[in-house]
Amino acid sequence: MEQNMLFDAAIFLTAAVVSVPIARRFGLGSVLGYLLAGVLIGPYLFNFVGANDEVMHVAEFGVVLMLFLIGLELKPALLWQLKGPIIGIGGSQVILTTVAFSIIALALGLRWQQAIAIGMILALSSTAIVLQSLTERRMLKSEAGQTSFSVLLFQDIAVIPMLALLPFLAPGIKSVPEPSSLSGWQNGLLIALVISGIVLGGHYLMRPVFRFIAQSGLREIFVAAALLLVIMTALATEAVGLSPALGTFLAGVVLAESEYRHELEANIEPFKGLLLGLFFISVGAGINFSLLAQHPFLVAGLLVLLLTVKFLILQGVGGLARMTHGHRWSFAFALAQGSEFAFVLFSFARQLKLFDAELVALLTLTVALSMAFTPLLLMLNSYLQSQWQKQDEQQREADPIVDQNNPVIIVGFGRFGQIIGRLLHAHGIGTTVLDNDVSHIEMLRKYGYKVFYGDADRIDLLQAAGADKAKLLIIAVSNQAKSIALCELAQRHFPQLKILVRAVDRAHAHLLLQLGVELIYRETVGSAVDLGVAALRQLGIRGNLAWRAGQTFKEHDEKLLREQTAFLDDEKMYITKSVQYRHILAEMLQATQQDRHSELMHAWEHIDEDEDEDEEHEGIH
């Protein structure tokens, strides 16, 4: 079936628009949605787009753009801090995995040259799928995410020597098929010149160039310049045998401290997203179901072997790096698949006659399936992590609390409770802090906080924390049900305690008021009013007037909140009260402004009168 480019584009976009939102609605993530879309439109199911290698080549540029954007997020100093994990953990993973798969391949009867090639290629993991999946799950900044990124960066660098080594493993080929006219030192010098050009050009040349383009005021030209920078960098590094993704990553790092960093990110992000989606669809479309139907047990066995061996080695490497239990499992699940670079390297090995077509097809199918299974493995990891956390919470006994006679007990030491604790500690006021998040407590203890594990809704724990002697109980948990239960417990068993409670929202505050709790603090009101006051000052309102307006607003809103609590079952009256208070507040603030204006005017008149009186007195004297 002859198809034109617009028809293919319509098919790809339709598949993405339909499948990805559905996949996300069911909690499967966008990567799995793209892969399923590729399977549906691919040549082995509905055959809407057919086998199209050119699409895959274009889509691989999405990986290049992604590495450039990651480089923009990493300043050189931060990259230098990661040198240990990149070389130590990344190097260990690649070497151990290469050795393991080489031994397995030898045991399966392959020649030693083929075994080493397979070991090297299968040691790589998919940068595109891993980083996209970790970003969607907000895990990229975690210990597992940072370590995964370091390993992926080392693997991207390792592709270069792998490309150079494959020709020497090929039978009967003593040199590269298309030998370069340059000698070894000349080639090395050329690579050094290209890298120097990227670093020096990015640091000294691109700033004035981007400044000149920005002054033109044409956004589309800035977008074109950003894309041109990435494409030229990719072409330059590819021309000297380096990975284009590695080259653009380096360019991104150099520009990370540029004042145009955010503009570059905003302009390239949409292209990256679309091309990465196209890449994932191409991977899904490339899964050879005919081969899978011919050798289902062989393919399944190879897939299980690939995922299991890589998972176990990554667990071992994570253990050597002293990663915590949960992060080590996340790290191993995330990197257990094959890499998109495997498609290129297997194809190259076939050109060198290192592998035959059947072996390449089998290995390519295994790698593609391993990539498709990654989102499912990460879902399994999330499920296991939640189960382990529940078990830890159930099995772990509350920490023994001895000699705690502090006047304040804080329950919940997250982002809200920590601010309260720091302020009280700064005033020398002792606090007893309770929290029930195990990982959270371990992290806080590294920073020197004394936090006790335990569920504060247990009377014995509150008594051990000194609730019968303390003056204040500060409830700073975000869980509304737990907050309500704690208030009821404290009111019933420790009536002398003054309770101060964090309210997550207005509805939560109403429930607390109905319980009779008086000291309620809605978590967003204070900061929102502060920002509003700052906005008034930026608009020319005098500082004292803006501050007074903020205080008036808070007092007024507090009165409204308490009055509305009586009308929670009467929506019409609840809204009426809100409208009435809004008008009253507007009149109050405008009247305040007019009074202030009038005072200023009278102040000028008093000054004039004083001056006249002074002149009269001077005349008398």
Side-chain angles (χ1 to χ4, degrees):
M1 181 171 54
E2 188 175 345
Q3 299 168 339
N4 58 39
M5 188 181 69
L6 286 178
F7 180 80
D8 285 348
I11 292 294
F12 277 109
L13 290 173
T14 303
V17 168
V18 173
S19 61
V20 174
I22 293 175
R24 296 218 44 173
R25 176 62 65 89
F26 287 100
L28 302 177
S30 67
V31 174
L32 193 55
Y34 283 121
L35 292 168
L36 291 173
V39 170
L40 290 173
I41 66 174
Y44 301 102
L45 203 56
F46 292 117
N47 194 23
F48 286 143
V49 293
N52 197 337
D53 291 338
E54 291 183 2
V55 173
M56 176 61 104
H57 292 318
V58 173
E60 284 173 357
F61 190 62
V63 183
V64 172
L65 290 177
M66 181 174 66
L67 265 293
F68 178 71
L69 289 176
I70 290 171
L72 284 176
E73 296 290 337
L74 283 176
K75 295 179 179 178
L78 181 58
L79 184 63
W80 182 249
Q81 290 178 3
L82 290 173
K83 64 182 184 300
I86 292 173
I87 299 172
I89 302 176
S92 302
Q93 184 272 331
V94 170
I95 291 171
L96 290 174
T97 312
T98 300
V99 171
F101 281 118
S102 299
I103 293 172
I104 292 171
L106 283 171
L108 292 174
L110 295 175
R111 289 183 287 109
W112 68 269
Q113 296 94 335
Q114 293 176 316
I116 292 176
I118 289 173
M120 288 191 305
I121 297 171
L122 294 184
L124 305 176
S125 304
S126 172
T127 304
I129 287 180
V130 175
L131 294 186
Q132 181 75 8
S133 299
L134 293 181
T135 302
E136 283 186 8
R137 286 169 170 76
R138 299 180 180 178
M139 292 171 60
L140 199 55
K141 300 292 183 185
S142 66
E143 183 185 6
Q146 291 290 301
T147 311
S148 299
F149 173 76
S150 300
V151 172
L152 289 169
L153 193 57
F154 182 88
Q155 291 179 358
D156 284 344
I157 298 170
V159 171
I160 303 163
M162 287 181 188
L163 279 167
L165 189 59
L166 281 177
F168 294 99
L169 296 174
I173 298 177
K174 303 300 181 186
S175 60
V176 182
E178 295 179 2
S180 170
S181 58
L182 300 176
S183 61
W185 71 269
Q186 288 174 326
N187 203 37
L189 180 62
L190 190 60
I191 291 173
L193 285 174
V194 167
I195 292 175
S196 302
I198 292 172
V199 174
L200 296 176
H203 192 74
Y204 295 106
L205 180 63
M206 293 317 298
R207 285 186 178 181
V209 169
F210 282 129
R211 190 180 303 122
F212 175 74
I213 295 171
Q215 286 171 350
S216 70
L218 298 171
R219 179 180 167 81
E220 63 274 18
I221 298 301
F222 198 95
V223 174
L227 285 174
L228 180 63
L229 169 67
V230 177
I231 292 171
M232 291 297 290
T233 306
L235 287 174
T237 49
E238 194 173 25
V240 295
L242 296 177
S243 162
L246 186 65
T248 52
F249 171 76
L250 184 59
V253 172
V254 175
L255 290 169
E257 294 182 336
S258 163
E259 60 270 34
Y260 298 101
R261 187 187 82 175
H262 297 296
E263 187 71 15
L264 287 167
E265 285 179 335
N267 288 325
I268 289 180
E269 182 69 32
F271 294 98
K272 181 215 76 171
L274 276 175
L275 287 172
L276 269 185
L278 188 60
F279 171 77
F280 297 137
I281 291 176
S282 301
V283 171
I287 295 176
N288 190 337
F289 286 97
S290 301
L291 187 60
L292 180 60
Q294 291 173 14
H295 308 287
F297 297 108
L298 177 60
V299 174
L302 289 174
L303 176 63
V304 171
L305 185 66
L306 170 64
L307 294 174
T308 305
V309 171
K310 291 193 76 170
F311 179 85
L312 293 175
I313 290 174
L314 287 163
Q315 279 277 0
V317 171
L320 291 174
R322 298 182 179 179
M323 295 177 70
T324 56
H325 175 264
H327 287 292
R328 193 171 70 244
W329 278 74
S330 300
F331 169 67
F333 273 122
L335 295 177
Q337 76 294 117
S339 167
E340 54 272 8
F341 285 117
F343 303 140
V344 179
L345 293 172
F346 281 138
S347 175
F348 185 45
R350 184 186 170 190
Q351 292 173 24
L352 297 171
K353 298 182 180 177
L354 184 60
F355 301 143
D356 57 36
E358 187 177 357
L359 182 59
V360 168
L362 201 58
L363 291 171
T364 303
L365 174 61
T366 305
V367 170
L369 285 173
S370 73
M371 293 167 74
F373 268 81
T374 301
L376 299 175
L377 292 176
L378 289 174
M379 289 172 66
L380 174 63
N381 176 58
S382 299
Y383 173 76
L384 292 175
Q385 300 277 354
S386 64
Q387 293 300 311
W388 290 331
Q389 187 173 359
K390 286 180 184 175
Q391 286 178 4
D392 286 343
E393 291 175 358
Q394 290 170 356
Q395 293 175 359
R396 177 169 174 164
E397 295 291 332
D399 290 335
I401 306 174
V402 181
D403 297 333
Q404 295 297 313
N405 293 315
N406 293 315
V408 181
I409 299 171
I410 301 177
V411 180
F413 212 56
R415 56 190 173 89
F416 193 92
Q418 282 178 38
I419 295 173
I420 302 166
R422 285 165 54 195
L423 180 63
L424 295 178
H425 289 170
H427 281 74
I429 298 172
T431 60
T432 301
V433 180
L434 304 175
D435 202 301
N436 65 351
D437 186 329
V438 177
S439 58
H440 191 200
I441 290 172
E442 289 175 357
M443 180 61 69
L444 287 170
R445 284 176 177 169
K446 290 180 182 176
Y447 287 89
Y449 289 107
K450 193 171 183 180
V451 184
F452 297 98
Y453 173 82
D455 275 325
D457 51 5
R458 286 171 44 192
I459 297 174
D460 59 331
L461 189 68
L462 280 176
Q463 284 175 332
D468 50 350
K469 300 174 186 172
K471 294 179 179 176
L472 303 180
L473 172 64
I474 299 175
I475 301 174
V477 297
S478 59
N479 186 313
Q480 296 187 30
K482 185 178 281 287
S483 165
I484 298 289
L486 272 170
C487 286
E488 290 176 334
L489 187 74
Q491 286 174 330
R492 193 161 54 247
H493 296 280
F494 308 101
Q496 90 290 352
L497 268 178
K498 190 163 282 187
I499 305 173
L500 293 82
V501 192
R502 164 194 184 182
V504 176
D505 52 26
R506 206 173 185 87
H508 187 198
H510 283 312
L511 293 175
L512 293 168
L513 283 170
Q514 286 179 323
L515 282 179
V517 179
E518 287 295 322
L519 301 174
I520 300 165
Y521 300 87
R522 283 171 286 158
E523 62 181 21
T524 54
V525 171
S527 55
V529 170
D530 287 346
L531 196 151
V533 170
L536 289 174
R537 296 186 64 181
Q538 293 296 320
L539 293 170
I541 308 292
R542 293 171 65 88
N544 60 338
L545 273 180
W547 179 83
R548 198 182 302 168
Q551 294 302 309
T552 304
F553 179 89
K554 282 204 284 191
E555 292 168 6
H556 188 81
D557 193 57
E558 193 66 25
K559 288 180 185 174
L560 172 63
L561 176 77
R562 291 169 188 275
E563 193 164 331
Q564 282 180 319
T565 303
F567 303 103
L568 291 178
D569 298 327
D570 187 348
E571 186 182 5
K572 186 178 178 181
M573 198 62 190
Y574 190 93
I575 295 172
T576 302
K577 285 290 176 188
S578 180
V579 174
Q580 283 177 353
Y581 268 74
R582 192 165 67 230
H583 289 309
I584 293 170
L585 178 64
E587 288 171 3
M588 286 173 60
L589 294 181
Q590 287 168 15
T592 304
Q593 270 193 304
Q594 287 172 359
D595 289 345
R596 180 59 183 164
H597 180 71
S598 176
E599 284 176 16
L600 288 173
M601 293 300 293
H602 288 307
W604 282 109
E605 289 172 5
H606 290 316
I607 290 172
D608 291 341
E609 287 172 1
D610 293 342
E611 287 177 351
D612 291 342
E613 288 176 3
D614 290 343
E615 285 174 4
E616 286 175 7
H617 287 304
E618 285 174 1
I620 291 171
H621 288 293

